[in-house]
Amino acid sequence: MKSVVSRFRELDQTQTLLAGGKGANLGELSKIAGLAVPDGFCVSTDAYKTLIGTHPLVGELLERLAALPSGDRHALRQICSQLRAVIEGVEIPEDLADEVARHLSRLGDERAYAVRSSATSEDSPTASFAGQYETHLNLKGKTAILSGIKSCWASLFSERAVSYRIQSGFDHRDVHLAVVVQPMVFPQAAGTLFTADPVTSHRKVTTLEAGFGLGEALVSGRVNADRYKVRDGRVISKALGSKTLAVRAAKNGGTEVHAIAPDMPGRQVLTDEQVLRLARLGRTIEAHFGQPQDIEWCLADDTFHILQSRPITTLFPIPEASDDAPHVYVSVGHQQMMTDPLKPLGLSFFLLTAARPMATAGGRLFVDVYPELASPLKRHSIVEGLGKSDPLIKDALLTLVNRGDLFSETPQVESPTDAGNGKPNGTPNTMPTGRPTLSIDDPAIVSELITRSQVALAELKDAVRDKSGLALLDVIFDDLRKLRAQIANPQSLGVIMTAMSAAFWINEKMNEWLGETNAADALSLSVPGNVTSEMGLALLDVADAIRPYPEVVACLRDARDERFLDELATREGGPQAREAIEAFLETYGMRCTGEIDLTRTRWSEKPTTLIPMILGNLSNVAPHASRSKFARGQQVASRKANDLLARVRELPDGENKAQETKRKIDLIRNLSGYREYPKYAIVNHYFVYKQALMREAQRLVEAKVIQQKEDIFYLNLDELREVIRTREVDEALIRQRKADFARFEKLSPPRVLTSEGEVVTGAYRRDHLPAEALAGLPVSSGVIEGRARVILDLEGAELEEGDILVTVFTDPSWTPLFVGIKGLVTEVGGLMTHGAVIAREYGLPAVIGVENATRLIADGQRIRVNGSAGYVELL
């Protein structure tokens, strides 16, 4: 018979499928020199699999559990209860019982043991199932230990463990459970050690928690543990917990709670010397596993025993650097309104498009602003420039700057007079790094820039039409070079910056001269030439084309796949509806959510994405609303301009002030619509690239080089070139990249991250907010009340007239929703990002940068959005 019980020293971290995460890690820990790891053995997953195979009812219940509809809590509870009852009632096979007995005899029949679950999904780099499965302490005798093993098996089907697997995407049938058995250590203290700070993610800060007795008191939350932090070989902070009790081994097995002596709560559980010694052990373990670790330990007779070590799964990766110098990384995704991860091919394209060097981590893009922060001449400009876009990034950077520990000298942020004119001269995206040198007053420059862009796009389409293989990649690389130059064109950047500066000037001067805040918001209504807001209005026209035909509307409501366009031909009005939809797709079909990632599915590739928005327009918006909506915005802007000019003329030196005000208003009206065009141009080029590359990918599939076309999304451009050249692919690399991407999707990117892994958070420094209001950035003035619709997925968006949209971020693909809502709240964004620009143009009160808005605001809850002062109230 094949043995199903192994000693720890026979296991290592490659044997997770046999020993589970805990068992494999204990085997690995036992090989590290200098560590005291209690000896023991592991009952492998083969024993559990045999149980499943020989009890048909278990297999049947597992199938029912796997097929269970999401959210059916009652059925889940019933099936889990049945599974646990069946497993706890089985008879342990005699051969397994004999093997366990032999190992107990080797270690000592009279000793007490800990029996702990070890699942194959546990303690992995992508998920931590800590605390989900059973642990039994201080068991004595073969009978109690065999019973503990069955209890561990059964705990695989506790409701919380099953729910966690569902949330983490694990198939219950693919998760198996081993059981580890170790002699008990009876410690005077126990606790946990994190080799990276679990709150800030700082990789050089070790955090320890310690309590008296067994560690169960800490895990169960019965005591407030001592907490120590260590950095660079010294204790940098300590907080003593209110330790009033301890969990200790009971005389007849199990554990019991004891009150501790009155003088104990005020004492340190560990001396400083012990804290430092334990921290060094933690670094040894981290170095062995190659990543930060969450470690369980106990202290007995001045020896630290290591009971477990697992990877910390919640840390955001650090961008790789070519040196050991300090770096301060700012998220590009928070600037681009795309905080989801990008696939490797998408990252590769964006890196080649961006005007500034970028780093990547966790599938996201970052810019290192350390050189600017370290420079007294540039520091103020970078902080203020970023602050215009995102105050939370600004506050995080100020925290770092004024703390000073990343700099050779503690720098202080200069006042505006110390840094020139105090205007932003640098941002970590594709913005220019200085004030525009061009004098741009002629509105014709916008048309000229757009014409040049359209010519370049036509040339690209012509160039790729008959290209394949390496010749195709040569065309793409050449066009990327041209596209990058087009985006960085000083004239293009000058138009954008001039319009932004004009809006800032109007807001500042109208507030100073007239006491009017956010005056530029009304002036930005219905500006001409904004390709993104025009897209939202164009989809209203599509609804108007469909509105007269009930059969077409019914067809759209029933549509389940992309064949609906063909089905329209059989309905009255279908040809007209199809023509309207295809005309829209011809102009805007390259757009989609997260469009800066070339690999994302475009509207032209999945037109069903548009259906909820079209149906929403039919239900919530009156006929011919696109023209009337745009005209109303123009009228409001015109009245506001006339009102401001009339009031300015009444001021001292009024004619000169009015003349300059009129010039700034004209710049806003004539130039600010161009703000959205460069991104539209990029996305157009990306879609041409993608279509050509997908044709090439199909050839690779037909040649059996790759398994499916989408495999190329997990290669960068240089790797794809090699695959095309050699007709060979590293399938293991693609599998790993897919697993990495799945892990990255579960991570939230920080706004600011240091090269030491520290996530630096910012706060809104604002007084006089209403009690319990959610603070954010005011980007479009006005106050509105209504029903909050919390929407995380554009495809499932169902809005009614007057709803307030609450979401993580919006990009141009969300614009069609804006025509039917009353207000906007997002977690991500700045003054000049998509949601803010379109909200102002449509006249929607908006507050963005509201942290955790989608969790703190309930779907359907009535809220008040104050887009003038920058907060949201829950009513």
Side-chain angles (χ1 to χ4, degrees):
M1 181 198 73
K2 177 185 175 183
S3 175
V4 294
V5 182
S6 302
R7 296 182 65 174
F8 289 164
R9 68 185 187 188
E10 298 168 340
L11 302 170
D12 58 44
Q13 61 184 327
T14 67
Q15 294 173 283
T16 301
L17 294 179
L18 180 71
K22 190 178 278 92
N25 285 354
L26 280 168
E28 196 68 34
L29 285 167
S30 67
K31 295 173 173 55
I32 302 176
L35 288 190
V37 180
D39 194 8
F41 59 92
C42 177
V43 179
S44 78
T45 56
D46 287 338
Y48 170 79
K49 291 176 186 177
T50 299
L51 169 75
I52 299 297
T54 55
H55 288 78
L57 182 56
V58 173
E60 178 187 328
L61 289 169
L62 274 176
E63 292 297 324
R64 286 175 55 195
L65 189 61
L68 200 64
S70 176
D72 192 342
R73 304 293 303 176
H74 177 70
L76 183 145
R77 189 176 299 114
Q78 281 190 323
I79 297 172
C80 288
S81 177
Q82 289 177 273
L83 278 164
R84 292 195 302 272
V86 170
I87 293 171
E88 288 174 347
V90 301
E91 187 74 26
I92 293 280
E94 186 177 349
D95 52 359
L96 173 58
D98 289 344
E99 276 202 82
V100 169
R102 282 197 296 273
H103 282 274
L104 292 175
S105 177
R106 174 180 62 82
L107 294 168
D109 286 322
E110 303 304 316
R111 300 179 71 174
Y113 289 86
V115 178
R116 310 167 76 190
S117 303
S118 179
T120 53
S121 58
E122 186 177 33
D123 300 344
S124 72
T126 58
S128 175
F129 283 75
Q132 298 292 331
Y133 307 122
E134 284 290 349
T135 288
H136 297 280
L137 300 179
N138 198 31
L139 299 185
K140 297 179 179 179
K142 172 185 169 182
T143 300
I145 289 167
L146 291 176
S147 178
I149 290 171
K150 288 195 295 182
S151 177
C152 288
W153 285 340
S155 72
L156 198 59
F157 300 103
S158 69
E159 287 180 49
R160 65 174 181 174
V162 169
S163 297
Y164 187 82
R165 285 199 296 273
I166 292 171
Q167 293 170 7
S168 301
F170 288 91
D171 189 322
H172 310 294
R173 296 163 295 186
D174 295 337
V175 176
H176 305 113
L177 196 121
V179 181
V180 297
V181 182
Q182 289 174 285
M184 283 288 295
V185 176
F186 299 102
Q188 63 262 33
T192 58
L193 180 155
F194 296 89
T195 62
D197 190 299
V199 176
T200 68
S201 299
H202 201 303
R203 303 303 203 272
K204 292 188 176 180
V205 174
T206 298
T207 300
L208 299 87
E209 290 189 338
F212 294 116
L214 294 166
E216 300 310 297
L218 274 65
V219 173
S220 64
R222 295 181 181 180
V223 298
N224 291 325
D226 284 3
R227 175 168 287 193
Y228 311 93
K229 292 191 177 185
V230 175
R231 180 176 179 179
D232 298 330
R234 63 186 183 89
V235 179
I236 59 172
S237 73
K238 54 180 128 177
L240 303 189
S242 54
K243 308 172 291 293
T244 58
L245 54 85
V247 176
R248 303 193 187 279
K251 183 176 181 180
N252 296 319
T255 60
E256 56 190 15
V257 178
H258 289 263
I260 64 173
D263 64 325
M264 296 284 279
R267 287 171 44 189
Q268 286 188 208
V269 174
L270 300 177
T271 67
D272 284 6
E273 183 277 328
Q274 289 172 327
V275 168
L276 294 176
R277 179 154 44 104
L278 182 55
R280 288 193 294 271
L281 288 176
R283 292 298 174 198
T284 298
I285 295 169
E286 179 186 66
H288 181 85
F289 284 103
Q291 65 184 109
Q293 297 288 298
D294 167 6
I295 299 165
E296 298 175 26
W297 58 269
C298 66
L299 177 66
D301 300 324
D302 202 38
T303 296
F304 285 107
H305 299 263
I306 304 302
L307 306 178
Q308 186 49 262
S309 185
R310 61 178 68 85
I312 305 175
T313 60
T314 56
L315 301 176
F316 196 86
I318 305 172
E320 291 187 10
S322 58
D323 55 39
D324 294 326
H327 302 274
V328 177
Y329 299 105
V330 171
S331 167
V332 173
H334 285 80
Q335 304 283 311
Q336 291 290 336
M337 303 298 282
M338 167 59 173
T339 54
D340 294 342
L342 283 72
K343 293 186 178 73
L345 190 64
L347 282 171
S348 184
F349 271 97
F350 198 86
L351 288 168
L352 289 170
T353 309
R356 177 168 176 163
M358 295 182 182
T360 65
R364 276 77 170 191
L365 293 153
F366 295 87
V367 168
D368 180 17
V369 298
Y370 180 85
E372 288 88 346
L373 291 180
S375 165
L377 295 176
K378 299 178 180 179
R379 188 178 307 132
H380 176 82
S381 295
I382 192 69
V383 171
E384 290 301 317
L386 286 165
K388 293 283 188 184
S389 173
D390 190 327
L392 295 178
I393 291 178
K394 173 183 177 179
D395 193 70
L397 293 178
L398 287 176
T399 298
L400 271 176
V401 167
N402 292 324
R403 198 174 72 190
D405 57 352
L406 279 178
F407 305 90
S408 56
E409 297 179 2
T410 302
Q412 295 297 320
V413 177
E414 302 88 345
S415 67
T417 55
D418 294 328
N421 59 22
K423 296 295 183 184
N425 73 349
T427 60
N429 53 23
T430 55
M431 291 298 195
T433 55
R435 297 190 74 178
T437 58
L438 298 173
S439 175
I440 302 173
D441 294 313
D442 186 352
I445 193 170
V446 172
S447 297
E448 182 182 341
L449 289 170
I450 291 174
T451 299
R452 287 186 212 162
S453 178
Q454 291 171 339
V455 169
L457 180 64
E459 290 174 348
L460 169 64
K461 290 179 178 179
D462 185 61
V464 302
R465 187 168 290 115
D466 59 350
K467 296 294 190 301
S468 63
L470 296 179
L472 171 63
L473 287 197
D474 289 340
V475 169
I476 289 175
F477 273 105
D478 182 59
D479 190 74
L480 277 168
R481 178 183 54 78
K482 295 176 183 176
L483 179 62
R484 182 171 178 167
Q486 177 184 324
I487 300 305
N489 176 1
Q491 284 186 311
S492 178
L493 295 170
V495 168
I496 294 170
M497 290 301 289
T498 300
M500 288 174 59
S501 295
F504 291 144
W505 188 93
I506 286 288
N507 280 339
E508 179 184 335
K509 293 302 181 182
M510 296 307 101
N511 187 32
E512 177 187 339
W513 296 343
L514 306 176
E516 179 155 348
T517 59
N518 304 317
D521 288 1
L523 298 172
S524 300
L525 290 168
S526 297
V527 295
N530 186 319
V531 68
T532 302
S533 62
E534 288 172 353
M535 176 180 68
L537 299 178
L539 202 60
L540 289 177
D541 293 337
V542 172
D544 285 341
I546 291 170
R547 200 182 301 272
Y549 304 108
E551 288 189 25
V552 172
V553 176
C555 180
L556 294 181
R557 294 191 189 281
D558 294 337
R560 295 294 179 266
D561 56 44
E562 309 318 312
R563 290 174 296 183
F564 82 94
L565 284 172
D566 295 327
E567 293 172 6
L568 286 177
T570 65
R571 311 295 178 96
E572 182 186 0
Q576 296 94 315
R578 177 169 180 162
E579 182 181 354
I581 293 171
E582 288 181 340
F584 179 87
L585 291 173
E586 179 66 26
T587 305
Y588 303 109
M590 78 299 299
R591 311 217 84 154
C592 66
T593 302
E595 61 189 8
I596 66 170
D597 182 357
L598 173 140
T599 70
R600 289 288 190 110
T601 301
R602 310 283 147 172
W603 288 344
S604 287
E605 296 169 324
K606 191 178 181 182
T608 48
T609 306
L610 298 174
I611 291 177
M613 293 185 279
I614 295 172
L615 293 175
N617 287 343
L618 288 169
S619 300
N620 303 327
V621 184
H624 313 300
S626 64
R627 288 182 291 278
S628 60
K629 189 177 184 68
F630 191 78
R632 282 196 305 272
Q634 286 181 314
Q635 292 166 5
V636 172
S638 178
R639 285 196 297 269
K640 173 58 70 174
N642 292 333
D643 174 66
L644 292 175
L645 290 171
R647 291 160 63 192
V648 167
R649 286 192 182 97
E650 295 177 1
L651 300 172
D653 194 27
E655 279 303 321
N656 286 331
K657 289 178 177 176
Q659 185 177 354
E660 183 62 10
T661 300
K662 174 67 165 60
R663 194 175 77 84
K664 298 295 186 183
I665 291 173
D666 288 345
L667 290 173
I668 292 173
R669 299 296 302 171
N670 294 332
L671 304 185
S672 59
Y674 181 74
R675 168 70 177 80
E676 294 284 303
Y677 197 86
K679 189 174 186 181
Y680 176 73
I682 291 172
V683 174
N684 266 290
H685 282 250
Y686 278 10
F687 191 42
V688 176
Y689 302 154
K690 182 183 182 183
Q691 289 175 306
L693 289 175
M694 294 308 282
R695 291 193 293 269
E696 190 64 30
Q698 180 60 39
R699 287 188 277 270
L700 292 173
V701 170
E702 291 168 358
K704 301 190 184 308
V705 177
I706 57 177
Q707 295 182 17
Q708 53 189 8
K709 292 187 295 184
E710 290 75 15
D711 284 351
I712 69 168
F713 295 164
Y714 298 92
L715 302 170
N716 63 40
L717 264 173
D718 289 333
E719 291 166 344
L720 179 57
R721 178 186 282 277
E722 276 301 290
V723 170
I724 292 173
R725 185 183 69 82
T726 64
R727 315 302 276 182
E728 294 180 355
V729 69
D730 185 344
E731 293 182 358
L733 175 66
I734 290 177
R735 285 195 301 272
Q736 183 60 52
R737 294 267 177 85
K738 289 180 178 179
D740 289 342
F741 184 78
R743 177 163 55 92
F744 296 157
E745 285 185 299
K746 299 175 183 177
L747 299 176
S748 296
R751 282 177 164 85
V752 177
L753 178 71
T754 74
S755 48
E756 293 177 334
E758 181 183 7
V759 173
V760 187
T761 57
Y764 291 104
R765 310 294 177 181
R766 199 183 306 157
D767 298 327
H768 311 303
L769 287 184
E772 301 184 12
L774 306 178
L777 178 65
V779 296
S780 185
S781 56
V783 179
I784 199 74
E785 292 184 14
R787 182 181 69 160
R789 287 310 316 270
V790 179
I791 295 177
L792 303 180
D793 182 0
L794 181 60
E795 292 188 36
E798 292 186 5
L799 290 160
E800 295 181 7
E801 185 178 5
D803 283 346
I804 296 172
L805 174 61
V806 180
T807 189
V808 178
F809 62 83
T810 65
D811 60 13
S813 68
W814 289 71
T815 302
L817 295 184
F818 283 36
V819 297
I821 60 176
K822 292 204 295 192
L824 174 70
V825 179
T826 70
E827 296 181 353
V828 175
L831 275 171
M832 297 308 297
T833 47
H834 164 265
V837 171
I838 304 303
R840 287 194 293 272
E841 185 161 337
Y842 283 179
L844 304 174
V847 180
I848 65 178
V850 180
E851 292 200 286
N852 300 314
T854 58
R855 282 179 281 174
L856 297 174
I857 300 172
D859 185 47
Q861 184 172 19
R862 191 166 182 80
I863 63 175
R864 180 184 298 122
V865 176
N866 190 318
S868 302
Y871 61 84
V872 180
E873 293 177 274
L874 312 181
L875 303 180

